[in-house]
Amino acid sequence: MVVTEDVDLPSCSELTVPEVNLSTATLMSAGPYFGKDCEAINNEFMLCRYELDDPRACVNLGKKVTSCTMKFFKKVKENCLEEFNQYVNCVDKSSGNFSFSKCRTTQTVFDGCMKDKLNMERPDFGYFTRPRVHCSPSPAPESPPCPCYQKFPDATPSLPDWKPRPPARFGSRFYWMTE
């Protein structure tokens, strides 16, 4: 990527945030709860990324998403650590592809803890596939003053005159299919 002197790039200190170093099994086990808990800020971040098409403008929202992730896992650690660890270990060690099918009992215990102590219910199957309207508090971006893309006429409005090909010299490869 070529960058000119006119472009202001954020410094390393602005980009440095604590990372969420968790295993695949941990993220998959907490995924439904985490997705629902941080849904609003994540949707705002993704909206910023798609509308502005400039990652520099969305750095602060990305920090908020990471912060929400850290807060969520701290809540789980304070309230349901033992149940969560059992569920994660089951998901991690019961199959080679992190299947949930053999861990329904530990999942039920973890779901009960999340309901009792954090008042969070596991989203139903298909919750994240349903379309929802996100009401953003930030204003819509301005449209560009000039069109970014020019429309050019089609180079070939029609195909050139087409003549049928002569039959194959040695016959068809599919001689067994005829008649």
Side-chain angles (χ1 to χ4, degrees):
M1 178 173 137
V2 178
V3 178
T4 63
E5 291 180 5
D6 301 345
V7 177
D8 292 328
L9 294 176
S11 65
C12 289
S13 62
E14 290 178 282
L15 297 175
T16 304
V17 294
E19 292 185 18
V20 184
N21 292 325
L22 297 173
S23 67
T24 302
T26 304
L27 292 172
M28 287 181 66
S29 300
Y33 291 106
F34 162 64
K36 195 168 182 182
D37 192 43
C38 298
E39 181 176 19
I41 190 64
N42 190 42
N43 287 346
E44 190 66 29
F45 172 70
M46 294 306 292
L47 187 67
C48 176
R49 294 246 345 247
Y50 286 118
E51 282 185 343
L52 300 180
D53 199 27
D54 183 10
R56 295 172 296 163
C58 306
V59 168
N60 290 332
L61 284 173
K63 288 180 182 181
K64 288 181 183 178
V65 171
T66 304
S67 173
C68 181
T69 305
M70 297 296 263
K71 287 177 187 173
F72 171 76
F73 281 107
K74 284 179 184 176
K75 286 191 293 188
V76 171
K77 184 177 178 180
E78 291 170 0
N79 295 297
C80 299
L81 179 63
E82 185 177 329
E83 294 87 349
F84 184 61
N85 282 339
Q86 287 177 350
Y87 182 43
V88 169
N89 284 332
C90 180
V91 169
D92 190 24
K93 296 177 181 171
S94 66
S95 67
N97 60 354
F98 304 108
S99 175
F100 296 112
S101 62
K102 295 180 173 70
C103 303
R104 296 299 179 197
T105 54
T106 54
Q107 177 184 342
T108 306
V109 172
F110 175 60
D111 289 347
C113 179
M114 292 294 283
K115 173 95 171 113
D116 295 340
K117 295 184 179 176
L118 293 175
N119 199 21
M120 293 178 74
E121 287 191 33
R122 177 181 284 273
D124 59 336
F125 188 74
Y127 173 81
F128 296 105
T129 61
R130 290 189 206 111
R132 288 180 293 285
V133 175
H134 174 71
C135 297
S136 175
S138 61
E142 298 174 5
S143 59
C146 64
C148 297
Y149 302 103
Q150 290 181 334
K151 184 166 181 151
F152 293 101
D154 192 6
T156 56
S158 65
L159 293 174
D161 291 336
W162 180 76
K163 296 177 184 175
R165 293 175 128 185
R169 219 169 25 162
F170 298 110
S172 172
R173 294 182 191 166
F174 306 108
Y175 63 90
W176 63 86
M177 296 176 85
T178 57
E179 294 182 14

